[in-house]
Amino acid sequence: MANKKIKFLDQKKVKKLEDDFTYIILLSERNIGKSYATKSIAVKAAIDSGGEEKFIYLRRFESDCKDSLCVNYFADLPIYEMTNGKYDIIDVYRKGIYLANIDPDTGKISNRKKIGYCHALSIAERYKSLMFPDVKRIIYEEFISKSGNYLTQNEPDYLMDYVSTIFRHRTGHVYLIGNKISRICPYFRKWELKGILKQQIGTIDTYKYVDEDGKEIVYTVSEDKVSGYTTTYDGYKPRNSKTKLGT
């Protein structure tokens, strides 16, 4: 029997969600290109802006933010082609993410150009005194814990506080990448994504509720799954939409 052809996420359609949403959630089984599409969007934007538009690769714990692990995360991107031969690789040094060149004989790294940062949500307090005025995107990988090992059941509040620290009063986008649907995921409970376990593949659903500050929170959740949500104010009418995000 022939192998089933895998359909990968369409990067252009994923990026289009930025027009409407601050938080974009990508959920599915592995190997449909969620991480690849997201980091490609962030890295391409950094390259196109000459490094002026940076991003953050976010993990839950410091142990997942070792430079070597972060380098491996970006290893599948065709940096030579993306930069028209100007750079060879992405290097990570002291939690900074750089475009760089590498000597094929000696392995020596040179010509670093900073395009981002590696952060851990568990130490978010440390970032509060720092400024990140050039960060446009945050990629939170594996935000759904396979073991249920979240910082606390209030982790969504930690994340949103961290996002406020990074973006301040600027516009930015947060991608949350997950490989497993969990009934006990605190994000689904906090954001009231009640229909996510029954959603049709390839569609986007919309939710809303009013938070403690009186702001209306609007979520869209797609089943590929690809989703997003944004914070708006009273009077906003959420759209009901059905959008295919695969190829």
Side-chain angles (χ1 to χ4, degrees), residues 49-199:
S49 68
E52 295 300 315
E53 190 173 295
K54 296 181 175 63
F55 64 92
I56 290 173
Y57 171 46
L58 180 67
R59 298 301 299 260
R60 181 169 286 113
F61 301 112
E62 281 189 276
S63 58
D64 296 318
C65 287
K66 295 178 181 179
D67 287 355
S68 59
L69 295 177
C70 295
V71 166
N72 189 60
Y73 177 74
F74 293 100
D76 58 344
L77 292 181
I79 298 302
Y80 187 84
E81 289 79 6
M82 292 175 74
T83 62
N84 295 318
K86 186 174 181 179
Y87 297 99
D88 303 318
I89 61 170
I90 284 184
D91 185 42
V92 180
Y93 179 68
R94 295 183 177 179
K95 304 300 181 289
I97 302 172
Y98 300 85
L99 297 169
N101 295 117
I102 184 169
D103 188 303
D105 297 320
T106 66
K108 183 179 179 179
I109 304 296
S110 63
N111 197 28
R112 287 189 177 98
K113 175 73 173 179
K114 195 167 192 176
I115 59 172
Y117 310 84
C118 296
H119 283 183
L121 187 60
S122 61
I123 57 170
E125 289 290 327
R126 299 184 190 177
Y127 307 123
K128 287 193 172 183
S129 61
L130 304 176
M131 302 294 290
F132 301 93
D134 47 5
V135 169
K136 178 71 172 179
R137 294 171 183 83
I138 297 170
I139 303 171
Y140 187 13
E141 274 284 355
E142 299 189 22
F143 82 99
I144 300 176
S145 172
K146 292 184 290 185
S147 62
N149 190 20
Y150 296 95
L151 298 180
T152 73
Q153 285 303 302
N154 292 322
E155 184 179 297
D157 293 329
Y158 278 75
L159 176 65
M160 296 175 81
D161 187 53
Y162 164 80
V163 169
S164 295
T165 294
I166 300 301
F167 292 147
R168 306 288 178 176
H169 300 293
R170 295 176 292 108
T171 300
H173 303 285
V174 184
Y175 286 84
L176 292 89
I177 314 297
N179 291 313
K180 179 183 178 182
I181 302 300
S182 170
R183 294 179 182 275
I184 61 172
C185 176
Y187 289 89
F188 299 160
R189 183 178 65 255
K190 174 68 177 180
W191 295 341
E192 299 185 2
L193 308 181
K194 300 175 181 178
I196 196 168
L197 297 174
K198 300 178 181 180
Q199 193 171 337

Side-chain angles (χ1 to χ4, degrees), residues 233-244:
Y233 296 90
D234 291 341
Y236 178 82
K237 301 298 183 183
R239 298 176 293 107
N240 290 322
S241 60
K242 302 290 184 181
T243 304
K244 288 282 188 180

Side-chain angles (χ1 to χ4, degrees), residues 25 27 143 153 156-157 160 182-199 205-212 215-222 227-230:
I25 307 171
L27 301 174
F143 82 99
Q153 285 303 302
D157 293 329
M160 296 175 81
S182 170
R183 294 179 182 275
I184 61 172
C185 176
Y187 289 89
F188 299 160
R189 183 178 65 255
K190 174 68 177 180
W191 295 341
E192 299 185 2
L193 308 181
K194 300 175 181 178
I196 196 168
L197 297 174
K198 300 178 181 180
Q199 193 171 337
D205 287 350
T206 301
Y207 302 79
K208 67 175 179 177
Y209 80 98
V210 178
D211 71 6
E212 295 86 348
K215 292 181 180 179
E216 184 178 81
I217 310 298
V218 179
Y219 304 91
T220 68
V221 181
S222 75
S227 65
Y229 92 82
T230 185

